[in-house]
């Protein structure tokens, strides 16, 4: 360096080998002072690369196996780590609680409403179901002044006003209702059928109109009629029984079983 | 029915006859219209028949 004909630059010794790096800036500044060139020669130094040593080596140390924490099992939580399942379980608990409390509230409401209805109809007498199973068909056409009927009852009331109130509500539901006074009580009847079993079926049909129903056998008796009147009444009772059977059967959605021709003959004789 | 019996019956029995006739008519109308309301009307007429029957007896 500094000698004429020799390229100028930076000489670096790497592991004993000299490498010259030409410096164009130095060439352009050749006119610069020789003192500075002398200093450049002094700046050359030997690079000493560090030897391979274990100090800088990265040693992979296997991490100790993590101890598994015992699972905490309790009501509502399967595990503390399974946080994904917790919302589902919380939701399920909420649903179960809602159903449980809803059922209790519903039962209370139903009991309250039933109690109120019982207070309105003062003397309601439900008919025992055991007796209704027995079919007592064709008892309407008894001889004499008696007329045995099988009716759908909508309630029994101690006062006519109470009966009228319920009658009005039932008629609003497009169901017929008539008040009969019998033995100091007011009966509300909604329909008639040919037998007790048929009146039960008719009652169940009318129940779909959201009315309270019972089925009952009622005897009507005519008094002070002559023999001729009795004959007329007998014919009327027969016609009544046939018409009741036809209308009740058709209302229950079954095909009518009454022979209409035979009915006309009965009436004409 | 009403044509045959109307002239011969007493007023009380005439009402009974009217009720039965009305019931029969409603059932006939149901056969053509298939309207359930007609059957309810028939049932109402039959209940009226029972009501009038009760009034005759009392």
């Amino acid at each position: 360096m500094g000698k004429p004909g020799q390229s100028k630059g930076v000489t670096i010794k790497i592991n004993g080998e000299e490498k010259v790096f030409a410096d164009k800036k130095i060439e352009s500044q050749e006119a610069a002072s020789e003192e500075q060139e002398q200093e450049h020669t002094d700046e050359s130094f030997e690079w000493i690369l560090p030897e391979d040593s274990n100090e800088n080596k990265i040693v992979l140390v296997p991490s100790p196996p993590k101890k598994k924490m015992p699972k905490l099992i309790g009501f509502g939580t399967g595990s503390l780590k399974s946080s994904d399942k917790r919302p589902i379980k919380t939701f399920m608990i909420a649903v179960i609680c809602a159903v449980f409390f809803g059922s209790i509230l519903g039962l209370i409401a139903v009991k309250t409403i039933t109690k109120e209805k019982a207070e309105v109809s003062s003397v309601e007498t439900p008919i025992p179901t055991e007796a209704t199973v027995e079919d007592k068909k064709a008892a309407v056409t008894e001889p004499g002044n008696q007329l045995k009927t099988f009716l759908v009852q909508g309630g029994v009331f101690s006062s006519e006003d109470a009966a009228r109130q319920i009658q009005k509500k039932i008629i609003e539901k497009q169901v017929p209702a008539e008040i009969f006074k019998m033995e100091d009580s007011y009966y509300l009847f909604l329909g008639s059928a040919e037998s007790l079993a048929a009146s039960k079926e008719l009652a169940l049909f009318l129940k779909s109109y959201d009315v309270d129903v019972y089925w009952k056998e009622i005897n009507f008796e005519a008094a002070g009629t002559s023999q001729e009147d009795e004959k007329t009444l007998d014919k009327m009772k027969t016609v009544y029984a046939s018409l009741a059977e036809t209308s009740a059967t058709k209302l229950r959605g079954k095909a009518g079983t009454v022979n209409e021709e035979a009915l006309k003959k009965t009436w004409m004789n | 029915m009403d044509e045959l019996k109307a002239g011969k019956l007493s007023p009380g029995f005439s009402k009974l006859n009217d009720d039965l006739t009305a019931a029969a008519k409603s059932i006939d109308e149901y056969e053509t219209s298939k309207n359930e309301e007609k059957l309810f009307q028939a049932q109402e007429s039959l209940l009226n028949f029972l009501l009038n029957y009760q009034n005759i007896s009392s």
Side-chain angles (χ1 to χ4, degrees), chain A residues 145 176 178-182 189 191-192 205 209 221-222 229 232 236 240 243-244 247 250 267-268, chain B residues 1 4-5 9 13 16-17 20 27 30-31 36 39-40 43-44 46-51 53-54 57:
Chain A
N145 296 333
E178 292 293 341
I179 298 169
F180 291 73
K181 188 184 178 187
M182 290 184 288
F189 292 124
S192 61
F205 169 75
Y209 285 81
E221 190 171 348
D229 287 344
T232 310
M236 284 185 171
Y240 161 81
L243 291 173
S247 58
K250 288 182 187 297
W267 183 250
M268 289 168 76
Chain B
M1 289 189 286
L4 289 168
K5 296 290 176 182
L9 294 173
F13 281 33
L16 295 176
N17 182 51
L20 292 177
I27 292 170
Y30 169 78
E31 292 298 338
E36 198 177 63
L39 292 176
F40 281 126
Q43 283 284 326
E44 191 174 14
L46 293 174
L47 290 173
N48 283 327
F49 169 82
L50 294 177
L51 209 55
Y53 188 94
Q54 191 190 33
S57 62

Side-chain angles (χ1 to χ4, degrees), chain A residues 5 27 29 52 55 65-66 93 107 109 119 132 134 138 146 155-156 179-180 188 196 203 209 230 251 253 256:
Chain A
E27 283 178 1
Q29 292 173 0
D52 291 341
E55 288 178 6
K66 290 178 181 177
I93 288 166
L107 281 172
E119 285 170 2
T132 59
E134 194 181 343
Q146 280 202 350
V156 186
I179 298 169
F180 291 73
L188 202 57
L196 199 58
Y209 285 81
E230 281 185 14
L251 263 178

Side-chain angles (χ1 to χ4, degrees), chain A:
Chain A
M1 291 187 86
K3 292 178 181 177
Q6 209 173 8
S7 63
K8 294 178 179 179
V10 179
T11 305
I12 299 170
K13 273 187 179 179
I14 301 170
N15 291 334
E17 290 179 11
E18 280 188 8
K19 284 190 177 180
V20 179
F21 296 91
D23 194 348
K24 290 180 180 179
K25 282 185 178 179
I26 294 172
E27 283 178 1
S28 64
Q29 292 173 0
E30 202 174 353
S33 65
E34 289 183 4
E35 292 174 0
Q36 285 179 346
E37 287 180 7
Q38 188 64 40
E39 285 175 11
H40 280 291
T41 55
D42 297 337
E43 283 176 7
S44 62
F45 58 92
E46 191 174 334
W47 286 85
I48 299 166
L49 291 174
E51 291 180 3
D52 291 341
S53 64
N54 290 334
E55 288 178 6
N56 294 327
K57 278 186 179 177
I58 297 168
V59 179
L60 292 173
V61 180
S63 59
K66 290 178 181 177
K67 286 181 182 177
K68 286 186 178 178
M69 293 294 286
K71 287 184 178 179
L72 293 175
I73 299 169
F75 180 70
T77 53
S79 165
L80 286 176
K81 288 186 177 181
S82 60
S83 58
D84 292 340
K85 292 181 180 177
R86 287 188 70 185
I88 297 167
K89 288 197 173 180
T90 311
F91 175 73
M92 289 299 292
I93 288 166
V95 168
I96 290 164
C97 288
V99 169
F100 179 71
F101 289 113
S103 303
I104 288 171
L105 287 173
L107 281 172
I108 291 167
V110 166
K111 288 216 168 192
T112 310
I113 291 164
T114 314
K115 204 174 181 181
E116 284 175 3
K117 280 188 177 179
E119 285 170 2
V120 171
S121 54
S122 55
V123 207
E124 278 188 13
T125 52
I127 298 153
T129 51
E130 290 82 10
T132 59
V133 179
E134 194 181 343
D135 194 354
K136 297 178 180 176
K137 192 176 177 179
V140 249
T141 53
E142 285 190 348
N145 296 333
Q146 280 202 350
L147 174 58
K148 191 177 279 185
T149 61
F150 303 97
L151 303 176
V152 177
Q153 183 182 297
V156 186
F157 305 90
S158 57
S159 71
E160 191 175 1
D161 287 340
R164 292 247 176 254
Q165 284 180 3
I166 302 299
Q167 183 194 28
K168 193 180 173 185
K169 286 181 182 175
I170 292 172
I171 289 172
E172 281 173 1
K173 294 171 183 174
Q174 310 298 323
V175 175
E178 292 293 341
I179 298 169
F180 291 73
K181 188 184 178 187
M182 290 184 288
E183 297 173 358
D184 299 332
S185 294
Y186 294 87
Y187 289 75
L188 202 57
F189 292 124
L190 314 181
S192 61
E194 73 277 11
S195 67
L196 199 58
S199 66
K200 180 187 175 184
E201 286 184 27
L202 183 63
L204 294 174
F205 169 75
L206 293 175
K207 196 175 173 65
S208 65
Y209 285 81
D210 194 25
V211 291
D212 291 332
V213 289
Y214 307 95
W215 46 97
K216 200 167 189 175
E217 179 185 318
I218 300 284
N219 287 315
F220 294 96
E221 190 171 348
T225 53
S226 64
Q227 281 192 340
E228 195 176 337
D229 287 344
E230 281 185 14
K231 283 181 183 177
T232 310
L233 281 176
D234 283 344
K235 288 175 186 174
M236 284 185 171
K237 285 190 282 187
T238 307
V239 174
Y240 161 81
S242 300
L243 291 173
E245 183 178 2
T246 307
S247 58
T249 306
K250 288 182 187 297
L251 263 178
R252 295 187 327 255
K254 295 176 180 175
T257 55
V258 176
N259 188 341
E260 290 181 9
E261 289 298 321
L263 181 62
K264 282 179 183 174
K265 277 183 183 176
T266 308
W267 183 250
M268 289 168 76
N269 287 334

